[in-house]
Amino acid sequence: MTAALVPPPSRLAQFYALTKPRVVQLIVFCALIGMVLAVPGLPSAAQCGQMALACLGVWLVAGAAAAFNCIVEQGIDAKMKRTAWRPTAKGELSNRETLLFSAVLCTVGSALLYFWVNPLTMWLTFATFVGYAVIYTVILKPLTPQNIVIGGASGAMPPVLGWAAMTGDVGPEALILFLIIFLWTPPHFWALALYRVEDYRKSGLPMLPVTHGNEFTRLQVFLYTLILFAGCLMPFIYGMSSWIYLAAAVVLSVGFCGYGFALWRSYSDQLARKTFRFSLIHLSALFAALLVDHYVL
């Protein structure tokens, strides 16, 4: 019996895939948390409208950065099972088409943020685009195994963008949210890199499990979960949250540390996958707890 042929995705689906939708959704969610926390009490209708415009602008620029990343890493993506399906890696979309798509998204998103939100948010968002698409992807990623640590600054920017969108400045609260994501990124990514190490070895990228080995990387994951635990307490210590957030932060952080410790002491690909998945739950639930805390107390 002949296997049924799977039709290729539509052009619209191919362009949409370039934006890395799941990654961008998390970015916009974190930016939205920053917006909500920057507004005392329930936001007004006008503020809700501004939040919607800011989320759209951040989504467009983040999608543009993701598409540009697909161009730069086209050859690397083709060697890795995790990314070989991307339209640029498969040759379904040309570099010219992808670059034009990225430029349009970045231009429209930047204009929206500049004219309908505020210039500071636009410049911070554009700087994040440059930090991720150029500094991290082009320079740091192929240069050093600490790429994800240094480049994590770009990934930690969304709540700062959200805060700036509603206040027109960057307060200490926004920097605390930045710190949490910055510290969360290494154990999150290295858990993935541990069970995808052969992919990264084939790609030629100097990821930590490739350059320093499995055991060293596992130790780093565990140590970073401990540092992250301390960082997650900062919203309560600073006074921007109450015991509701504190309880959630302690439970979630103990869970992440537990995964990190178990991974360090006894490795398996299955446990690395579970650690990676829990890291996503950790960040999403942590920020959701901040949101609940903000409105309940």
Side-chain angles (χ1 to χ4, degrees), residues 156-189:
M157 282 297 290
V160 178
L161 306 180
W163 192 277
M166 303 310 296
T167 65
D169 64 11
V170 176
E173 298 89 346
L175 296 179
I176 288 174
L177 300 178
F178 170 91
L179 176 66
I180 290 173
I181 301 179
F182 182 75
L183 296 174
W184 169 87
T185 301
H188 158 74
F189 179 81

Side-chain angles (χ1 to χ4, degrees), residues 4 81 86 234 251 253:
K81 293 179 181 179
R86 288 176 180 165
M234 286 300 296
V251 171
S253 296

Side-chain angles (χ1 to χ4, degrees), residues 2-297:
T2 304
L5 294 177
V6 179
S10 66
R11 298 287 281 179
L12 181 62
Q14 290 172 351
F15 279 112
Y16 182 64
L18 291 177
T19 65
K20 302 181 182 178
R22 287 187 295 180
V23 175
V24 172
Q25 285 168 11
L26 184 60
I27 289 171
V28 173
F29 171 72
C30 292
L32 180 61
I33 294 298
M35 296 175 205
V36 172
L37 294 179
V39 177
L42 291 172
S44 64
Q47 288 171 328
C48 286
Q50 187 167 344
M51 288 179 187
L53 289 172
C55 283
L56 177 58
V58 169
W59 185 91
L60 289 169
V61 178
F68 187 84
N69 172 269
C70 288
I71 298 175
V72 176
E73 298 195 331
Q74 180 180 5
I76 294 172
D77 286 345
K79 299 176 184 177
M80 301 175 62
K81 293 179 181 179
R82 186 172 66 90
T83 55
W85 60 270
R86 288 176 180 165
T88 43
K90 294 174 66 176
E92 295 172 340
L93 293 174
S94 69
N95 287 349
R96 181 178 180 182
E97 290 173 317
T98 305
L99 183 61
L100 178 60
F101 177 67
S102 176
V104 169
L105 288 186
C106 186
T107 301
V108 173
S110 296
L112 191 155
L113 292 173
Y114 187 92
F115 293 108
W116 281 280
V117 180
N118 60 59
L120 176 63
T121 305
M122 187 282 288
W123 287 116
L124 287 174
T125 306
F126 183 72
T128 303
F129 173 99
V130 173
Y132 172 73
V134 180
I135 297 175
Y136 169 66
T137 303
V138 178
I139 301 174
L140 291 174
K141 198 168 184 179
L143 184 65
T144 170
Q146 292 298 309
N147 45 29
I148 197 65
V149 177
I150 304 168
S154 296
M157 282 297 290
V160 178
L161 306 180
W163 192 277
M166 303 310 296
T167 65
D169 64 11
V170 176
E173 298 89 346
L175 296 179
I176 288 174
L177 300 178
F178 170 91
L179 176 66
I180 290 173
I181 301 179
F182 182 75
L183 296 174
W184 169 87
T185 301
H188 158 74
F189 179 81
W190 285 332
L192 168 70
L194 279 167
Y195 68 86
R196 294 286 189 180
V197 64
E198 291 307 318
D199 264 358
Y200 285 113
R201 186 171 283 115
K202 291 175 184 176
S203 73
L205 293 173
M207 295 305 178
L208 197 64
V210 176
T211 60
H212 288 68
N214 181 285
E215 185 175 355
F216 180 84
T217 304
R218 286 152 46 199
L219 175 60
Q220 296 305 303
V221 169
F222 175 52
L223 293 177
Y224 263 95
T225 60
L226 296 178
I227 299 170
L228 174 62
F229 195 155
C232 289
L233 300 179
M234 286 300 296
F236 178 79
I237 294 171
Y238 184 75
M240 63 182 288
S241 66
S242 71
W243 62 268
I244 294 178
Y245 167 79
L246 178 63
V250 169
V251 171
L252 290 166
S253 296
V254 167
F256 204 177
C257 289
Y259 272 106
F261 180 79
L263 193 65
W264 173 46
R265 301 305 298 168
S266 180
Y267 178 79
S268 71
D269 283 355
Q270 183 180 13
L271 183 56
R273 286 189 177 92
K274 288 181 178 179
T275 304
F276 173 75
R277 290 168 186 158
F278 184 82
S279 71
L280 294 171
I281 295 171
H282 175 276
L283 186 65
S284 300
L286 191 78
F287 275 35
L290 269 175
L291 186 61
V292 171
D293 188 284
H294 181 68
Y295 285 118
V296 171
L297 295 176

